[in-house]
Amino acid sequence: MPNLLLELRSEEIPARMQRKAAGDLKKLLTDALVEAGLTYEGAREYWTPRRLALDIHGLTARSADIREERKGPRTDANEKAIEGFLRGAGLSSIAEAQVVSDPKKGDFYVAVISKPGRGAEEIIAEVMPGIIRDFPWPKSMRWGKASSQPGSLRWVRPLQSIVCTFGSEHEETVVIPFEIDGIVASNVTYGHRFHAPDAITVKRFDDYVSSLEKAKVILDAERRKDIILHDARDIAFASGLELVEDEGLLEEVSGLVEWPQVLMGSFEEDYLSIPSEIIRLTIKTNQKCFVTRKQGEETLSNKFILVSNIQATDGGKEIIHGNGKVVRARLSDALHFWKRDQGSLPDLETLEASAKKFSLDLAKPLDQRMAKLDALHVTFHAKLGTQGDRVERIRAMATKIAMPVGADYKVVDRAAVLCKADLRTEAVGEFPELQGVMGRKYAALQGEDVSVSTAIEDHYKPQGPSDRVPDDKVAITVALADKLDTLIGFWAIDEKPTGSKDPFALRRAALGIIRILLEKRARVTLLPRIVSHMQRIDMDIGANVDTDDLTRQLDLLSFFHDRLKVYLREQGARYDLIDAVLTPESDDLLMVARRVEALTAFITSEDGINLLAGTKRATQLLAAEEKKGTVVADGVSEALLKLDTEKELFAAITKASSEAAGAVAHEDFRSAMEALSKLRAPVDRFFTDVLVNDEDAAIRANRLALLRMIRAATGTVADFSKIAG
C-alpha cells in the first residue's frame, strides 16, 4: 500500500510550539483522510526547528465507492416537503427518485445516491491547503508582499517549501503538487542552514531521513534529546562532574538545534557564592545551558554545558567563549541582586507605619521588604485589594488553622507575615520562579526560626499533582491559609472557574488543600472558616450582601467536594461510595476520605454485600411508601411487634445503632461497619418471614418505622441507597 511523506519547512519555529504543532498536523490530516473514506496503517509526526514532517504508511490508494439510500416523504406529501427532500438528496427532479411501497405506511420516495471513489492524491491535494491555511498556531504572522493582501497565508514563521510525495515502497513515487500562496508542493527539501544549504531531492520517508542526516539534520526530536543528554553526561563525567538534569530544558534545547553539538564552558568560581537556584535559573533562562555539580554533591561547579547547532572548525572555542561572556554578565547581575537584597532599603522612614502594622523589625532586610510591599500598595487583585491586605488576611486565617494542625501560634504568625516579603526582592523581580525559595534563604540569613524559613518556601506547595506537600506543621498551616484566602476571596467577588477557564488556578489551589489535609492527616473543618473569612472579605471590600445567605460559602464547599471526588477516584475509590459518604455539609475532608476507605473495605466483604442488598431493599420499600403518603410511625412500639423475627430485628438494630454511633464518635469507621454487619442475618430473616404492608394500619406503620431505623442506623456511616449493586 502507498505511503505519504509530508514536510512543511519554514524559518525557525519556537521550541515550545514544535511538539504540539507536529501532533496537530498529524491529527488534522489523518482525520481529513479518514473522513474522505481513506484508511491507513500508521502515522508518525516529526519536528525540528525548521520543519514539521509526517510519515503516513499503508494509506489506501483510493476511497471506496459509496451507495446510499435516503428515505424521503410519502408520495402524497406537500410540495415543500418534496422540494426539501430533492435539495437534501441532490436530485434535480422527483423523477430521479424511486418509489417504495410499505404495507403500513404507504408509498414513499427513496433517493439512491451513488458516489464514486476518489484517488488519494486528489483527496490530499484538496485537503492540504485548508489544513495549512487554518493551522492552529498560538501565534502566527504574515510576510512578504502578499502580507498586505486580505486572506494571505499566516504561519508561525515564513513558510519556505512543502514536500509531498506519495507511492509504495517498490514503485516510483509521485509528487502531489498542491499550491498555497505561490508555494507549490514538490519533492525538494533543504538540510542544515549552514552546513548543507543545497537542495535535496527525496522520494519516500526512508531516503528523506537518511538524506537529511547526511545534510546535518537529525529529524527525530527524541533522538536529538538522547544525543544531547548522553553527550552532556559524558562531558561532565570526563571533568569529574555530573550533569544537573532538567527535562524541560532538554526538551527546549532539542527544539533549538537540528545538529546538536555539546560543549562545556566555565565561569569564575567567585560567582558560586550566589545561591545555586539563582545560578541555575540565570544560565537556563538566558543561555539555555545546563549546570553541573561535583559528583555526589549538591554544590554546583563553575562548569556549564551548552548545545550548539554548528559543528565548528575550531572545536567550538569561539562558541564557548561567546556563551561564557554572556553567562558571566548575567551572573554579575545576579550577584548584584543577591547582595542588594541583603542590604537595607534607602527609605526606611517611610516604612514605619507598615512595620508597626505587621510587627516588623526594620533592622532586618526581609522585614524591610515586607514593609515596602505593604507601603507601595502593590495590587493583588483590583477587587481584593493589595498584597498587604492579602498578607493580613492570610495571617488571620493562619491563626484559625494553627491549633487543629498542631503548629506553634507565634511561629505561624511570623511565617505568615513574611511569606510574601520576597516579592519585593530584586532576585525574585528578575526570576519570579524563585518566589518562596529566595524568601527562605533571606529568612535564614537574618536568623529566623527554621520553621519560618521553611514555611516561606513551602507555603506555595503543592503547585501541581506531582509536587510534594509541606511537611513542617507551620508550613502546612500557612500553605492552607494562603490557598483558602485565595479561594474564598475569588468566590466572594464571583470570579470562579468556568468550563476550561481557570485564570487564577483555583482548581489547583483546592486540590492542594485536599492533598495537604489527606496526606498529612490534618483535621480542619472548612465551612466555619469559609463563612467567617468571607464575611471579613465582604467588609474589607464594602460588599453589600446578606450575611444570613450562605449560598456562596456552600458553593465553594461544593467546589471542594468536586475536587475531592476527582482526587479520590484517581486514588482508586468508587464514585458511588464517595457519593454515599459525602453530604452537602461535609467539611471535614479527611473524615470523608477515611469513611470512603472504610466503606470500600466493608462493601467488598461478604457481609457487606449481603447487608447492602437487605438495606437497599428496606430503604427502597420505605421510600416508595413515603412517596405514596403511607403513614410511618414516629418510633417503633415494642407492643406492636407481633413476630419473633421483627422483635429480633428491633433488638439487633438498637444494639447495632448504639455500637455504630459510638464507633463513629471515636472516628473508628471500621468498627462502625462491623457493628452494622451484624444486621445482615436479622434483616434477611425479616424480609423472608414478615409482610411489611400488613392489613392492620398500626402494625404496618410500626414495621415501616422499623425500616426507618435500618436506614438511620446505616446512615450514621453512609447513604447505602447511593451504592451500586
Side-chain angles (χ1 to χ4, degrees), residues 189-208:
T189 188
Y190 296 82
H192 193 284
R193 183 190 294 275
F194 303 111
H195 291 309
D198 296 333
I200 303 168
T201 302
V202 297
K203 295 183 177 180
R204 50 183 62 85
F205 183 73
D206 288 344
D207 75 282
Y208 168 71

Side-chain angles (χ1 to χ4, degrees), residues 15 51 95 152 203 409 435 473 608 655 704 723:
R51 67 200 80 224
S152 61
K203 295 183 177 180
Y409 163 77
Q435 59 186 356
K473 289 183 179 180
K655 183 179 180 182
L704 288 172
I723 301 175

Side-chain angles (χ1 to χ4, degrees), residues 270-313:
D270 291 347
Y271 290 122
L272 293 177
S273 62
I274 306 170
S276 297
E277 294 88 348
I278 296 182
I279 295 174
R280 184 174 178 180
L281 259 181
T282 298
I283 292 177
K284 171 183 175 178
T285 305
N286 295 302
Q287 285 303 101
K288 313 303 179 190
C289 295
F290 298 85
V291 293
T292 63
R293 61 190 168 208
K294 296 178 181 179
Q295 293 181 4
E297 297 183 15
E298 290 299 318
T299 307
L300 295 185
S301 79
N302 67 325
K303 307 289 186 181
F304 63 91
I305 303 291
L306 63 102
V307 183
S308 170
N309 192 37
I310 298 174
Q311 189 171 336
T313 55

Side-chain angles (χ1 to χ4, degrees), residues 284-585:
K284 171 183 175 178
T285 305
N286 295 302
Q287 285 303 101
K288 313 303 179 190
C289 295
F290 298 85
V291 293
T292 63
R293 61 190 168 208
K294 296 178 181 179
Q295 293 181 4
E297 297 183 15
E298 290 299 318
T299 307
L300 295 185
S301 79
N302 67 325
K303 307 289 186 181
F304 63 91
I305 303 291
L306 63 102
V307 183
S308 170
N309 192 37
I310 298 174
Q311 189 171 336
T313 55
D314 65 353
K317 290 180 181 178
E318 283 301 315
I319 296 172
I320 293 170
H321 176 69
N323 276 267
K325 284 178 64 177
V326 178
V327 165
R328 290 183 195 96
R330 297 298 186 184
L331 288 177
S332 178
D333 290 342
L335 182 60
H336 175 71
F337 299 148
W338 170 242
K339 289 181 176 178
R340 287 256 305 201
D341 287 338
Q342 297 173 56
S344 291
L345 295 172
D347 51 354
L348 294 183
E349 67 280 357
T350 66
L351 306 179
E352 291 177 359
S354 294
K356 185 177 181 180
K357 183 198 302 185
F358 290 101
S359 304
L360 295 167
D361 181 356
L362 290 183
K364 296 181 177 181
L366 197 59
D367 290 55
Q368 295 175 22
R369 271 68 186 176
M370 179 57 227
K372 189 72 172 180
L373 183 69
D374 179 63
L376 287 175
H377 303 294
V378 177
T379 300
F380 166 62
H381 184 278
K383 296 180 181 178
L384 290 173
T386 67
Q387 288 284 6
D389 297 333
R390 185 179 182 217
V391 170
E392 283 192 284
R393 293 197 302 266
I394 292 172
R395 189 182 186 186
M397 175 61 80
T399 63
K400 301 172 187 175
I401 299 174
M403 184 177 292
V405 171
D408 184 299
Y409 163 77
K410 291 183 179 178
V411 180
V412 164
D413 187 64
R414 179 65 173 166
V417 166
L418 293 179
C419 69
K420 304 297 180 184
D422 68 352
L423 295 179
R424 286 305 305 165
T425 61
E426 294 193 38
V428 172
E430 180 71 10
F431 301 111
E433 306 96 314
L434 291 180
Q435 59 186 356
V437 175
M438 297 313 302
R440 174 176 60 81
K441 291 185 178 296
Y442 294 135
L445 284 172
Q446 68 179 36
E448 298 294 335
D449 188 293
V450 173
S451 290
V452 172
S453 301
T454 301
I456 292 172
E457 177 177 7
D458 285 1
H459 85 280
Y460 288 104
K461 298 183 179 298
Q463 296 194 39
S466 60
D467 194 14
R468 66 173 179 85
V469 300
D471 291 315
D472 184 272
K473 289 183 179 180
V474 174
I476 289 171
T477 303
V478 181
L480 290 172
D482 177 45
K483 293 170 178 58
L484 279 169
D485 173 70
T486 299
L487 285 158
I488 296 168
F490 283 106
W491 246 257
I493 62 173
D494 196 28
E495 292 278 359
K496 300 177 290 186
T498 55
S500 61
K501 295 182 179 179
D502 186 9
F504 304 110
L506 301 181
R507 292 188 180 95
R508 185 176 71 186
L511 183 58
I513 290 171
I514 290 166
R515 283 190 58 202
I516 292 171
L517 294 176
L518 270 55
E519 293 179 29
K520 294 304 172 182
R521 316 297 283 179
R523 297 289 309 279
V524 178
T525 51
L526 295 177
L527 191 55
R529 292 168 173 84
I530 292 172
V531 171
S532 63
H533 203 68
M534 195 173 291
Q535 286 175 348
R536 176 191 175 121
I537 292 172
D538 289 337
M539 291 178 62
D540 288 349
I541 65 177
N544 185 18
V545 294
D546 181 0
T547 55
D548 294 326
D549 183 4
L550 299 183
T551 303
R552 294 172 301 158
Q553 293 87 334
L554 289 172
D555 184 63
L556 176 53
L557 186 60
S558 176
F559 181 74
F560 274 108
H561 291 170
D562 291 340
R563 297 297 97 202
L564 178 64
K565 289 178 183 179
V566 171
Y567 177 80
L568 291 177
R569 288 186 67 177
E570 288 176 349
Q571 302 300 309
R574 281 169 40 182
Y575 73 92
D576 57 327
L577 301 188
I578 302 171
D579 286 341
V581 166
L582 205 55
T583 67
E585 295 78 26

Side-chain angles (χ1 to χ4, degrees), residues 119-139:
E121 298 99 313
E122 179 187 348
I123 293 171
I124 294 165
E126 180 183 284
V127 302
M128 276 309 305
I131 289 173
I132 294 173
R133 193 172 291 281
D134 300 327
F135 200 80
W137 291 109
K139 291 184 178 180

